[in-house]
Amino acid sequence: MPSELSAYVSDPTPGRGALRPARSWLHSDAPSLSLNGAWRFRLSPTASVAQDFAAEEFDDHGWESIPVPSHWVLEGDGAHGRPIYTNIQFPFPIDPPHVPDENPTGDYRRHFALPADWSDAERIVLRFDGVESLFRVWVNGVDIGSAGGSRLAHEFDITRAVRPGDNVVAVRVHQWSAASYVEDQDQWWLPGIFRDVTLTARPAGGIEDVWLRTGFRDGRGRVEAEITAEASAFPVTLRIPELGVEQVWATAADVTPVDAGEVEPWSAERPRLYDATVSTAAESIALRVGFRTVEIRGARFLVNGRRVVFHGVNRHEAHPVRGRVFDEEHAREDLARMKRFNVNAIRTSHYPPHPRLLDLADELGFWVVLECDLETHGFEKLGWVGNPSDDPAWREAYLDRIRRTVERDKNHPSIVMWSLGNESGTGSNLAAMSAWVHARDAERPVHYEGDYTGEYTDVYSRMYASVPETERIGTDGTDTPLLNCTPAQSARQRAKPFLLCEYAHAMGNGPGALDQYEVLVHEHPRLHGGFVWEWRDHGILATAPDGTAYHAYGGDFGEVVHDGNFVMDGMLLSDDVPTPSLYEYKAVAQPLRFVFDGDKVAVTNLRHSADTSDLRFRWRVEHDGTPVDAGDLEVPVVAAGESGWVSLPPVPVAPEGETWLTIDAVLATAAPWAPLGHVVATVQSDRSPHIPVPAVRHRTGWRPDPGTLMLGAAEFVDGRLVNLAGRAVTGPRLELFRAPTDNDESPSDGVEESDASVPGVSNAELWRRDGLDRLTARRVSVERPHDKTDALRTLDKVSAANSALFVMVESVWSLEAGELELRVEIEPSRGWSTVWPRIGIRFDLPDGGAPVDGAEWFGLGPSESYPDSLRAARTGRFSSGIDDLSVDYARPQETGHRSGLRRLILTSTGSEVFRVEALPDTHGRRPGFTLSRHTPQELARAGHPCELPASTTSRLTIDAAQHGLGSRSCGPDVWPEFALRPEARTIRLRIWAG
């Protein structure tokens, strides 16, 4: 028994028994019965448990009940095992195709009643839309067959086993199998029957499969139908009522292309669909067809003759409670959210999604790169030795996976490219998959990033190429070799369309430099955009010992091997909250470009095919963030790819202060994905007159003078601020540390990194090495001007234990025309060899009777911003509670910085505590601020938000500068322009007490 079982679970053969050929997932009027719901369930620690449970008479009353679809590790609060997260690692020994005897195995049973009116069905078919990993099926004790391919549909012919009335279906699911070696996607391992189970009655004279290939050219549509049916099923009728199409084919030989006449084409921007039916006397299939033509001309990827730019995201199926179990309402809202944030494309990483998701993509409008259920990434650590991608024993498994991918979803107009899989090295099996796809579907191109030299793919694809490298790929005439390519291979790849199938790793706070990639897309037609990694975090809802809910990541379930919080790398948090990076992405990808020239603005439509008739253009003028005038801008309809000049209204300019003109392009009518008035694109223009910064009044005659001093509402003891307007305050203290972001914690790869990086070492490690997280200060002097009481000067030497590096900090407090001013001069010593995370000062505000709990500010907002992530920020007046100023990243880290500060009011229960005016330095640079309940050091020590200590103090940090964000957790470091090198900086503030 063990040897026979071992051979079964270790067999790479994709399926056995009454497994039917792959076909489309169709909406048919043939009878069907959902088997979703409560099943009886038993979990065993190994695969060697007896198979007697499949017998009809088996007594399963002692078993538990489990919902189908579900993942057993997400049911029962750990009673059925726990999830495992790995990115590249295999959670079992690498011994292909074998898996351990310790192989959790779930047995499922349920009864179903075969409807009486199914007695005349030609066949009864049992369909599983998704089971992880290997499963075997019995009906009424009859062994039906088995299948592997977790995210693929499998149908079994069970006609010989069913009977009228009561029937029993039994399913055995093994968590580990040979299939696990080719399903090493960056995600949680979540076993079980996690998609729908359906029983269908296939009628005599029915339609086995249908493919309506639809093309568009010169305003007209064309339908090429492929009908799979017995001769007895004919005649077959194609109807598209809206187009007046009713074509009857008497025999299979009569099936020829149909001219659909004048049609509106389908695109991601205008997803025009037409209802169609394909019918016989016994069955009718309903489809929604979109007319579009996909082609490559030279180095351009075109749909309907126009170049496509992918503003895309990689999308896993993930939910904090359900895992990969599909919920249509949630999925629809998820896609609608993508549209609201200017996402126009999806790469289905790294497997086909639930089939209904593609119906929604057709309807709402997305360019889809549909990826096969394939990844063997764990073999990379072995130098790809033993990789199934080049092993003939796995050939049929690879071909079966691509067949099931293409055949299931071939009718969807949203799918414009097939992808063979992800991070599986290269080899003959991948080439065979590509050959099969080219033979089956000549229109849609084949993608696979791992084919660096372009031997068997139609587009050139890369992951995480830096901005300079991407520019070299897009530039004509360069002979710089491409990655892993000879000069000849490089020339071949440069002759193809290029896309970044993954870029801008959105892990934690980041990524930066999205706008730099966007610029390249518009400068180099060969570059077709790409797909951010990734759309959402994969956190699993868990509960801390004290009952606090949090989102768990790798290692939180006691995994033997795991990849930590690398699964938390989305622009959307696990609980559907958009991160600031998603707002940044929306601003970068907005489909309109505005260029101001005096009293005119040029509006350029960057869309693929839609004009601007669906938009209204609203303008407003603000003085120091306060609205003073507004109206509608009369913009003519601008066609896709075209520009139009528009006259601006007279802009009233504030004689003192700032004047900002803002234009919003909003939806003129509601869309299926957004309400009327939704903002699609925004631009601001600074119309402020030049206002000189008040000069610094230099004092002389300083003399040592510690003791107690009052400067206006500020009280000092021995040079230290202790009270402001009756409220305890300490500071300013120099703050050079920030709680490292995931990008900060990632080691440098030494390739095109900033000049302060060290290969193999993270910035965060360098910061801790230099003691930036544990700075201490020595007061050098406390001075006041001779015979004056309106100023105070302190000098501090700040350094860390076991370090000779230091920073001199001079703080000058003074009364200027009755206003309290603080000027801080920060000057580092020689010898600092790393970038710094920040250059700032921190004030601590103990709660006292009423804690500081909010802020109002005039500056950049409303969400956080950093030097290489500023496109979503606009200048205005904003307000927020203290908790809403920060983002609850799954692992606490730097968050909440608002750049370009002019004025700040701190509040307590709605009342003003004190206000701050931030003056620009001599270079015109403005500081930013962060208001938080925790110090950077406290944030850095916590693994989850629920681990942060209770706080009795609010922390205000004013930063002269912050280091950029970059994408180094998986991608390029911070661009040198946005890297913060140790340097002298000035912070100048004016403070009023409330």
Side-chain angles (χ1 to χ4, degrees):
M1 179 69 176
S3 60
E4 179 184 344
L5 179 62
S6 177
Y8 165 65
V9 297
S10 301
D11 187 353
T13 301
R16 297 176 178 177
L19 188 62
R20 306 186 71 235
R23 67 187 185 111
S24 300
W25 195 88
L26 297 169
H27 299 276
S28 168
D29 66 355
S32 67
L33 178 67
S34 172
L35 296 188
N36 291 353
W39 289 54
R40 308 299 289 173
F41 178 73
R42 175 185 68 185
L43 182 67
S44 303
T46 71
S48 58
V49 63
Q51 294 177 0
D52 56 349
F53 82 103
E56 292 182 71
E57 64 277 7
F58 183 85
D59 184 2
D60 60 15
H61 287 90
W63 288 17
E64 300 177 68
S65 177
I66 196 170
V68 169
S70 71
H71 304 280
W72 71 61
V73 293
L74 297 183
E75 300 292 325
D77 195 23
H80 307 130
R82 290 294 193 180
I84 300 169
Y85 167 62
T86 62
N87 170 30
I88 300 175
Q89 305 178 82
F90 285 115
F92 46 79
I94 306 175
D95 182 24
H98 307 290
V99 294
D101 294 336
E102 297 171 1
N103 187 355
T105 296
D107 291 331
Y108 296 76
R109 282 173 56 92
R110 70 157 291 165
H111 289 255
F112 66 89
L114 194 71
D117 57 359
W118 285 25
S119 59
D120 57 352
E122 184 177 68
R123 287 185 309 280
I124 307 298
V125 173
L126 180 61
R127 184 179 71 231
F128 294 84
D129 285 314
V131 182
E132 183 175 329
S133 144
L134 173 67
F135 68 106
R136 190 170 181 177
V137 182
W138 294 262
V139 174
N140 295 327
V142 177
D143 188 353
I144 300 299
S146 63
S150 297
R151 268 67 67 176
L152 303 169
H154 297 88
E155 292 184 322
F156 296 90
D157 187 338
I158 63 170
T159 310
R160 65 188 175 94
V162 294
R163 62 193 173 215
D166 185 60
N167 294 264
V168 179
V169 57
V171 182
R172 170 160 288 181
V173 181
H174 303 288
Q175 177 161 12
W176 310 124
S177 69
S180 303
Y181 283 102
V182 295
E183 294 179 358
D184 187 30
Q185 291 99 333
D186 177 9
Q187 61 180 345
W188 294 97
W189 298 87
L190 299 174
I193 304 174
F194 69 94
R195 287 186 184 159
D196 306 301
V197 182
T198 310
L199 201 66
T200 62
R202 300 296 308 133
I207 299 170
E208 183 63 22
D209 201 1
V210 60
W211 185 6
L212 298 185
R213 309 187 200 207
T214 55
F216 175 81
R217 199 166 305 272
D218 300 327
R220 300 183 70 84
R222 176 183 173 90
V223 180
E224 295 184 23
E226 178 185 285
I227 310 295
T228 304
E230 297 291 336
S232 60
F234 285 83
V236 174
T237 302
L238 167 68
R239 293 184 179 90
I240 310 178
E242 193 173 351
L243 298 176
V245 171
E246 183 163 344
Q247 177 69 49
V248 180
W249 295 298
T251 69
D254 296 329
V255 179
T256 55
V258 176
D259 184 354
E262 293 186 2
V263 301
E264 297 176 50
W266 185 97
S267 73
E269 294 163 359
R270 290 183 170 169
R272 182 65 161 94
L273 295 171
Y274 294 87
D275 292 327
T277 59
V278 178
S279 305
T280 70
E283 183 180 17
S284 181
I285 304 294
L287 303 99
R288 304 189 75 190
V289 299
F291 293 91
R292 56 103 183 96
T293 296
V294 178
E295 60 185 329
I296 291 177
R297 293 185 201 163
R300 298 195 184 192
F301 175 81
L302 311 175
V303 175
N304 299 332
R306 295 187 62 85
R307 173 175 173 256
V308 171
V309 174
F310 296 102
H311 290 117
V313 295
N314 284 274
R315 179 191 179 274
H316 268 291
E317 294 192 310
H319 186 274
V321 176
R322 297 187 303 271
R324 283 190 286 278
V325 175
F326 183 73
D327 178 271
E328 185 164 331
E329 182 179 354
H330 183 261
R332 179 181 287 275
E333 173 54 28
D334 218 27
L335 297 194
R337 185 184 293 110
M338 289 182 188
K339 296 284 285 190
R340 293 195 294 271
F341 281 91
N342 291 329
V343 173
N344 71 3
I346 299 169
R347 176 180 176 228
T348 68
S349 54
H350 299 292
Y351 43 83
H354 190 283
R356 274 294 290 157
L357 185 97
L358 297 167
D359 288 341
L360 299 178
D362 293 342
E363 175 188 329
L364 295 174
F366 289 92
W367 311 116
V368 174
V369 176
L370 191 77
E371 195 146 272
C372 185
D373 187 11
L374 178 68
E375 182 167 340
T376 68
H377 205 168
F379 287 93
E380 183 180 36
K381 68 178 293 184
L382 307 180
W384 298 107
V385 173
N387 183 20
S389 295
D390 204 32
D391 184 343
W394 294 80
R395 177 72 54 86
E396 183 53 34
Y398 275 57
L399 289 173
D400 180 74
R401 285 171 182 267
I402 196 63
R403 282 193 293 261
R404 293 189 179 279
T405 297
V406 172
E407 297 293 358
R408 194 196 73 170
D409 298 324
K410 55 186 177 283
N411 281 293
H412 291 283
S414 57
I415 298 172
V416 294
M417 201 177 298
W418 302 112
S419 179
L420 303 179
N422 184 68
E423 292 175 323
S424 297
T426 189
S428 60
N429 294 338
L430 288 157
M433 293 170 73
S434 178
W436 183 90
V437 176
H438 282 116
R440 184 71 177 113
D441 184 2
E443 181 188 37
R444 295 176 175 110
V446 172
H447 165 274
Y448 175 65
E449 183 267 347
D451 180 26
Y452 292 119
T453 60
E455 298 291 338
Y456 47 84
T457 48
D458 302 307
V459 296
Y460 182 36
S461 175
R462 286 285 308 285
M463 295 180 180
Y464 307 107
S466 67
V467 170
E469 184 183 7
T470 303
E471 184 173 26
R472 291 194 294 270
I473 292 169
T475 301
D476 291 330
T478 179
D479 57 1
T480 304
L482 301 177
L483 180 69
N484 295 334
C485 288
T486 66
Q489 291 165 340
S490 298
R492 174 168 60 193
Q493 292 295 68
R494 280 199 174 90
K496 298 176 181 178
F498 175 77
L499 59 88
L500 286 160
C501 67
E502 295 179 21
Y503 81 112
H505 197 254
M507 186 176 180
N509 191 348
L514 284 168
D515 53 346
Q516 293 178 289
Y517 287 98
E518 182 69 13
V519 168
L520 296 180
V521 165
H522 299 290
E523 290 180 347
H524 303 285
R526 178 182 302 121
L527 307 181
H528 287 73
F531 299 82
V532 169
W533 188 270
E534 65 170 305
W535 171 241
R536 66 160 61 242
D537 282 359
H538 298 207
I540 291 178
L541 192 63
T543 305
D546 66 356
T548 303
Y550 70 100
H551 290 104
Y553 48 73
D556 287 338
F557 297 109
E559 300 101 308
V560 175
V561 296
H562 63 85
D563 286 298
N565 70 319
F566 204 70
V567 76
M568 304 299 221
D569 46 14
M571 294 191 292
L572 197 69
L573 298 181
S574 301
D575 56 0
D576 296 343
V577 174
T579 67
S581 69
L582 189 51
Y583 289 95
E584 181 76 0
Y585 186 86
K586 176 184 178 180
V588 167
Q590 66 182 30
L592 300 173
R593 180 191 295 143
F594 301 87
V595 177
F596 291 94
D597 186 2
D599 60 355
K600 297 187 298 181
V601 62
V603 180
T604 301
N605 181 1
L606 301 175
R607 290 166 156 179
H608 171 268
S609 47
D611 61 29
T612 59
S613 59
D614 62 329
L615 302 175
R616 288 178 57 198
F617 293 81
R618 296 174 176 169
W619 62 269
R620 66 181 179 277
V621 175
E622 294 167 312
H623 290 168
D624 281 355
T626 300
V628 295
D629 203 357
D632 286 346
L633 197 63
E634 296 300 323
V635 177
V637 174
V638 181
E642 302 297 326
S643 299
W645 283 98
V646 182
S647 296
L648 295 169
V651 176
V653 176
E656 296 182 3
E658 296 185 42
T659 298
W660 287 86
L661 169 65
T662 303
I663 299 174
D664 291 328
V666 303
L667 290 180
T669 58
W673 43 270
L676 165 73
H678 166 75
V679 177
V680 173
T682 297
V683 68
Q684 282 193 310
S685 176
D686 186 357
R687 300 302 175 103
S688 309
H690 175 70
I691 300 175
V693 178
V696 173
R697 181 156 63 104
H698 291 284
R699 290 175 167 81
T700 59
W702 295 96
R703 62 178 177 80
D705 193 352
T708 301
L709 173 69
M710 293 293 297
L711 288 179
E715 180 182 0
F716 300 86
V717 175
D718 294 334
R720 290 178 171 81
L721 177 67
V722 296
N723 196 287
L724 186 61
R727 173 179 286 274
V729 180
T730 60
R733 60 165 286 172
L734 179 69
E735 187 63 85
L736 301 180
F737 185 65
R738 71 183 186 193
T741 66
D742 291 303
N743 292 322
D744 295 337
E745 290 282 14
S746 183
S748 165
D749 63 8
V751 179
E752 295 185 322
E753 300 278 4
S754 71
D755 55 0
S757 63
V758 176
V761 180
S762 72
N763 281 333
E765 186 175 344
L766 297 176
W767 298 340
R768 289 187 284 260
R769 180 200 68 184
D770 287 349
L772 299 189
D773 59 335
R774 47 186 172 82
L775 296 175
T776 59
R778 177 173 64 83
R779 178 60 46 91
V780 175
S781 63
V782 179
E783 299 176 318
R784 283 193 284 172
H786 182 64
D787 294 334
K788 291 185 180 179
T789 60
D790 65 347
L792 172 71
R793 183 172 74 173
T794 64
L795 185 64
D796 295 289
K797 185 175 184 179
V798 181
S799 55
N802 199 37
S803 175
L805 302 172
F806 63 90
V807 180
M808 297 305 299
V809 181
E810 180 190 51
S811 300
V812 177
W813 294 87
S814 62
L815 289 176
E816 306 294 341
E819 297 177 354
L820 180 64
E821 180 171 307
L822 167 65
R823 178 171 53 86
V824 181
E825 302 285 354
I826 301 164
E827 184 175 348
S829 67
R830 292 185 177 184
W832 294 93
S833 60
T834 68
V835 294
W836 276 355
R838 72 187 332 148
I839 302 176
I841 54 174
R842 196 181 88 207
F843 297 88
D844 292 343
L845 304 129
D847 288 348
V852 172
D853 58 10
E856 301 172 7
W857 74 97
F858 175 40
L860 294 185
S863 61
E864 64 185 32
S865 56
Y866 292 84
D868 53 355
S869 184
L870 286 169
R871 290 286 292 275
R874 60 181 176 86
T875 302
R877 286 185 180 271
F878 309 97
S879 63
S880 174
I882 191 169
D883 292 331
D884 294 329
L885 286 166
S886 301
V887 178
D888 278 336
Y889 295 112
R891 184 188 67 79
Q893 56 194 273
E894 164 64 28
T895 177
H897 179 76
R898 266 72 180 175
S899 309
L901 180 65
R902 279 80 163 169
R903 285 186 283 281
L904 170 67
I905 299 175
L906 298 186
T907 60
S908 177
T909 60
S911 299
E912 180 178 324
V913 175
F914 61 82
R915 62 179 59 194
V916 176
E917 180 182 3
L919 302 177
D921 66 12
T922 56
H923 298 280
R925 299 173 297 194
R926 296 185 181 274
F929 83 95
T930 304
L931 180 65
S932 172
R933 294 293 291 175
H934 294 95
T935 68
Q937 291 78 9
E938 289 172 333
L939 290 168
R941 286 192 290 268
H944 302 84
C946 62
E947 297 170 17
L948 289 168
S951 174
T952 59
T953 304
S954 297
R955 325 281 183 170
L956 172 65
T957 305
I958 304 293
D959 286 317
Q962 273 255 2
H963 185 56
L965 298 175
S967 184
R968 199 203 258 186
S969 58
C970 191
D973 197 4
V974 174
W975 189 247
E977 179 183 349
F978 307 114
L980 179 59
R981 294 305 303 266
E983 61 185 30
R985 284 283 190 148
T986 300
I987 295 175
R988 191 177 173 199
L989 309 173
R990 291 194 169 173
I991 303 172
W992 293 266

